[in-house]
Amino acid sequence: MRALVLVSTLAVLLAMLDMPWSYYRLLRVVLCLTGVVGFVAARRAGLETWMWFHGVAAVLYNPVLPVELGEKALWTVLNLVTVVGGWRSLAAFQAVEHAERGRA
């Protein structure tokens, strides 16, 4: 999960530049994949809030039935929120993992 969040972060930072249309399609795939993996990880960890966050991200960025919001500025804000949420969810996953190790 950490590697996907890192790749997503780098991809979103590159998306702030003037990139070709095909790059933004690839960005959707990367962010959707991160959302799906995050959803599964949150479900396994029992983190319902993060499960919802990643589920919504997976739907928002899905490349099969794309959500069209128009303006790049709006997508940039959503992309940044998604990346920040990804990093925060990683911290939550690590906290659960640490607590589980402490019980063992």
Side-chain angles (χ1 to χ4, degrees), residues 2-43:
R2 181 185 307 259
L4 269 176
V5 173
L6 180 60
V7 168
S8 294
T9 302
L10 295 174
V12 166
L13 290 175
L14 280 174
M16 290 182 184
L17 302 173
D18 192 25
M19 301 298 282
W21 177 84
S22 58
Y23 180 79
Y24 298 104
R25 294 289 287 173
L26 176 62
L27 180 63
R28 278 184 182 271
V29 172
V30 169
L31 293 177
C32 181
L33 177 63
T34 303
V36 169
V37 172
F39 176 85
V40 172
R43 187 163 187 229

